[in-house]
C-alpha cells in the first residue's frame, strides 16, 4: 500500500511528526523531493531529532528510508546529519538508500544562490543553500546526478575544485545508491510511506509563484520523485496547522497585523515554537486560511486532512479563521493565481468560541471539548475533506486517529 503525506499550507505544518507516527507500521519511507532547506523535528522518548535530508522513518530500527529522485542532495549536509543521528543512537547503515537519479548540490551553487537573490526583481527569501540553483541546473541539463559518481568519464569533465569536493563522498554514496524504479518494484506489496517537503503552496506549479520552492511539493511529486506510477498511490494525507505560517517573502492573505490583531502573532509564534528548524528565523503567522486549504485539497486529491497545533489555542477566548478574501469591494472564495491580487486581499474572518481547556493530554477524539470539535467540523465542511488525524502536541502519543491508515 502506498500512502503520501504532504504539507497542505506553506510548509512547517508538522509533517515530520506525522510521518514519524505513521512510520511505525511502514516497511519503507521515501522522501520524494526537496533538499537540506527543509527541516523536520521529531520528539520521542525525550530525544529531539532534527532532520533535514533523512526521511523521518529512520528513527524506527526496522524501517528503511530512501532519498528519492526528486531530491537535491548536499553530500556534506547528508553525512553531517548521518553522523549526528548516529550519536543519538540511530543505526542507519544498510537502512538509508539514495536514488541514482537524484541531483547533487555543489558548493558553488550556494554562492550562486545568494547572488541570484540579490538580483531578483522579486526577492523570495531563499535560505541560500543552493537548492534553487541545483534544480535550475537540472532543468538546463547541466546537473550532476548521484549515478554520475560512478562514471569515470563524467568525473573527468569536472573541475579540480568540484572533484576535490566530491571525492570523500563518492564511495560512501555509491554504497547507498539504488535504481529506484527497480527497488520500488520489490516493495509493491509492502507498506510504503512517501514524504513530501515544504507545503503545496510552495509547489513550483500550483504554489504562490514566484515565491515558491524550485521542486515539487504536491502529491503528484510522490510519483515523479518516488519511482512509482500515479495509479499506485492509495491515499493522500494533507497536514495543516490550526493557524497558518509562512517563511520568507510572498503574499500571505491571512497574516496577523499589529493594527488589527495586536500581539497575537508573537503569542502564537512563541507558543507554537514557530522558528525555522534549518535557519532559526521566525515564521510569519496568521489565521487558518480555509480558502487556501480547500485549494490544497482540490489540487492534491487529499483523502484525509491531518490537523496539528490545535492545542496552541487552548487558552484563547475566541478563535478566528479566514473563510474568504476581500478585494476592491468584492468577495473572493477561490485561491487566486495572481501575486498582486493575493498581496492586496484582506481576510474575511469568522469567529468561534474557544474551549479554554488544556487538551494536550486528551487521548480520545470524543473527549475533546465541544467547541474544539465544532471548530474541526467546520473545517471539514468547508473543505469537503475529513480530518483523519488530530495532533495535540509534539510527542507521538499526543495523536488521535479517526481513520484507518493502512487499509484501502
Amino acid at each position: 500500500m502506498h500512502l503520501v503525506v504532504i504539507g497542505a499550507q506553506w510548509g512547517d505544518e508538522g509533517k515530520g511528526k506525522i510521518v514519524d507516527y505513521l512510520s511505525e507500521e511502514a516497511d519503507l519511507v521515501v522522501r520524494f523531493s526537496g533538499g537540506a532547506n527543509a527541516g523536520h523535528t521529531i520528539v520521542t522518548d525525550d530525544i529531539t531529532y532534527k532532520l533535514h535530508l533523512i526521511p523521518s522513518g529512520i528513527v524506527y530500527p526496522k524501517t528503511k528510508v530512501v532519498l528519492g529522485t526528486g531530491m537535491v542532495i548536499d553530500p556534506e549536509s547528508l553525512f553531517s546529519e548521518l553522523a549526528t543521528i548516529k550519536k543519538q543512537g540511530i543505526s542507519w547503515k544498510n537502512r538509508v538508500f539514495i536514488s541514482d537519479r537524484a541531483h547533487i548540490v555543489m558548493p558553488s551553487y550556494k554562492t550562486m544562490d545568494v547572488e541570484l537573490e540579490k538580483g531578483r526583481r522579486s526577492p523570495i527569501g531563499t535560505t541560500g543553500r543552493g537548492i534553487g540553483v541545483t534544480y535550475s541546473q537540472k532543468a538546463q541539463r547541466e546537473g550532476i546526478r548521484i549515478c554520475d559518481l560512478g562514471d569515470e568519464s563524467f568525473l573527468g569533465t569536472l573541475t579540480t575544485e568540484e572533484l576535490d569536493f566530491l571525492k570523500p563522498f563518492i564511495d560512501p554514496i555509491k554504497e547507498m545508491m539504488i535504481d529506484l524504479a527497480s527497488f520500488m518494484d520489490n516493495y509493491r506489496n509492502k507498506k510504503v510511506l512517501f514524504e513530501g517537503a515544504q507545503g503545496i503552496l510552495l509547489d513550483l506549479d500550483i504554489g504562490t509563484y514566484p515565491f515558491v520552492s524550485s521542486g515539487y511539493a504536491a502529491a503528484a511529486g510522490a510519483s515523479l520523485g518516488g519511482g512509482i506510477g500515479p495509479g499506485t498511490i492509495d491515499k493522500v494525507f494533507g497536514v495543516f496547522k490550526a493557524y497558518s505560517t509562512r517563511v520568507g517573502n510572498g503574499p500571505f492573505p491571512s497574516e496577523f497585523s499589529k493594527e488589527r490583531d495586536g500581539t497575537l502573532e508573537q503569542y502564537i509564534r512563541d507558543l507554537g515554537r514557530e522558528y525555522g528548524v534549518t535557519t532559526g528565523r521566525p515564521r510569519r503567522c496568521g489565521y487558518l486560511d480555509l480558502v487556501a486549504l480547500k485549494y490544497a485539497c482540490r489540487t492534491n486529491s487529499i483523502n484525509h486532512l491531518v490537523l496539528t497545533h490545535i492545542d496552541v489555542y487552548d487558552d484563547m477566548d475566541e478563535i478566528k479563521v479566514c473563510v474568504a478574501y476581500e478585494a476592491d469591494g468584492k468577495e473572493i472564495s477561490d485561491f487566486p493565481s495572481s501575486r498582486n491580487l493575493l498581496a492586496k486581499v484582506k481576510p474575511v474572518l469568522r469567529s468561534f468560541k474557544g474551549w479554554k481547556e488544556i487538551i494536550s493530554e486528551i487521548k480520545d477524539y470524543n473527549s475533546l471539548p465541544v467547541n474544539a470539535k465544532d471548530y474541526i467540523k467546520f473545517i471539514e465542511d468547508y473543505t469537503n475533506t475529513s480530518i483523519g488525524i488530530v495532533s495535540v502536541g509534539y510527542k507521538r502519543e499526543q495523536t488521535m486517529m479517526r481513520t484507518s491508515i493502512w487499509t484501502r
Side-chain angles (χ1 to χ4, degrees):
M1 186 168 185
H2 293 163
L3 303 184
V4 178
V5 177
I6 58 169
Q9 296 168 309
W10 279 279
D12 309 307
E13 303 95 346
K15 296 184 299 299
K17 178 206 166 167
I18 300 305
V19 172
D20 167 66
Y21 185 86
L22 299 179
S23 294
E24 185 173 11
E25 294 184 49
D27 299 298
L28 183 71
V29 178
V30 181
R31 166 90 175 270
F32 61 80
S33 65
N37 58 331
H40 294 326
T41 299
I42 298 168
V43 181
T44 176
D45 297 328
D46 295 324
I47 300 175
T48 299
Y49 302 96
K50 294 188 176 182
L51 304 173
H52 302 277
L53 287 165
I54 307 298
S56 304
I58 193 65
V59 299
Y60 289 99
K62 294 182 180 179
T63 303
K64 295 179 180 179
V65 303
V66 174
L67 281 66
T69 296
M71 289 189 67
V72 290
I73 299 166
D74 180 345
E76 204 165 48
S77 297
L78 173 62
F79 285 98
S80 173
E81 189 171 325
L82 289 171
T84 297
I85 63 174
K86 183 178 179 181
K87 288 180 181 177
Q88 291 182 296
I90 294 178
S91 176
W92 59 265
K93 284 284 188 180
N94 300 315
R95 296 179 54 223
V96 178
F97 302 92
I98 306 174
S99 169
D100 59 4
R101 288 176 166 84
H103 279 248
I104 296 173
V105 180
M106 300 296 288
S108 60
Y109 298 173
K110 299 176 185 179
T111 304
M112 292 168 64
D113 203 356
V114 174
E115 291 304 312
L116 280 169
E117 179 75 357
K118 292 177 182 177
R120 290 183 192 277
R121 63 169 63 92
S122 301
I124 60 174
T126 176
T127 59
R129 292 175 179 266
I131 306 302
V133 172
T134 310
Y135 279 116
S136 177
Q137 293 289 95
K138 174 181 178 178
Q140 294 180 48
R141 280 72 53 90
E142 288 288 343
I144 301 173
R145 298 190 295 169
I146 293 295
C147 62
D148 294 328
L149 299 183
D151 185 341
E152 291 297 330
S153 62
F154 178 85
L155 293 176
T157 67
L158 300 180
T159 66
T160 301
E161 186 179 13
E162 289 173 329
L163 201 54
D164 286 344
F165 170 72
L166 289 172
K167 273 183 179 177
F169 307 114
I170 291 177
D171 288 338
I173 286 178
K174 284 167 67 176
E175 290 179 6
M176 295 184 277
M177 184 173 71
I178 57 170
D179 176 332
L180 185 57
S182 175
F183 185 88
M184 292 305 299
D185 191 53
N186 295 322
Y187 281 85
R188 60 186 180 278
N189 296 318
K190 302 287 187 179
K191 294 178 179 178
V192 183
L193 196 59
F194 294 86
E195 174 184 2
Q198 281 91 37
I200 75 100
L201 297 176
L202 295 176
D203 182 84
L204 183 61
D205 287 312
I206 61 177
T208 52
Y209 189 89
F211 305 98
V212 292
S213 180
S214 297
Y216 30 76
S223 174
L224 291 169
I228 60 169
T232 66
I233 294 174
D234 294 293
K235 289 182 183 178
V236 178
F237 287 82
V239 186
F240 76 104
K241 285 187 284 208
Y243 49 93
S244 302
T245 62
R246 176 162 197 167
V247 173
N249 302 332
F252 187 6
S254 65
E255 185 169 15
F256 296 133
S257 70
K258 287 185 179 179
E259 294 76 19
R260 182 188 62 224
D261 307 306
T263 60
L264 184 58
E265 179 174 46
Q266 194 59 49
Y267 174 82
I268 294 293
R269 180 182 291 139
D270 290 341
L271 202 59
R273 297 192 283 185
E274 296 299 345
Y275 297 87
V277 177
T278 302
T279 63
R281 60 181 171 178
R283 297 171 185 144
R284 299 159 64 189
C285 301
Y287 295 107
L288 173 61
D289 186 337
L290 290 181
V291 179
L293 186 62
K294 181 168 66 175
Y295 172 73
C297 293
R298 285 174 171 175
T299 55
N300 289 270
S301 298
I302 292 174
N303 300 101
H304 298 286
L305 287 165
V306 179
L307 172 59
T308 67
H309 287 67
I310 188 173
D311 52 298
V312 169
Y313 282 154
D314 282 356
D315 198 41
M316 296 184 67
D317 295 312
E318 182 184 52
I319 297 162
K320 295 179 181 180
V321 298
C322 171
V323 296
Y325 304 145
E326 187 276 326
D328 301 324
K330 297 180 180 179
E331 192 167 291
I332 300 169
S333 58
D334 292 318
F335 194 73
S337 59
S338 167
R339 75 181 89 168
N340 293 325
L341 179 55
L342 269 176
K344 73 176 183 179
V345 300
K346 302 296 181 185
V348 177
L349 302 173
R350 172 164 175 166
S351 297
F352 293 83
K353 289 183 179 179
W355 40 90
K356 302 292 289 183
E357 181 180 337
I358 296 174
I359 65 173
S360 57
E361 298 303 320
I362 294 177
K363 306 294 184 184
D364 178 65
Y365 179 81
N366 292 324
S367 299
L368 284 173
V370 171
N371 289 350
K373 287 188 286 189
D374 287 345
Y375 173 70
I376 292 170
K377 181 66 165 56
F378 181 82
I379 297 170
E380 290 181 313
D381 290 343
Y382 188 101
T383 61
N384 196 32
T385 308
S386 67
I387 294 177
I389 304 174
V390 178
S391 169
V392 293
Y394 292 93
K395 298 179 180 179
R396 285 177 184 163
E397 58 270 21
Q398 293 175 302
T399 310
M400 302 175 193
M401 305 302 299
R402 302 181 67 211
T403 186
S404 177
I405 302 299
W406 295 104
T407 56
R408 288 182 173 84

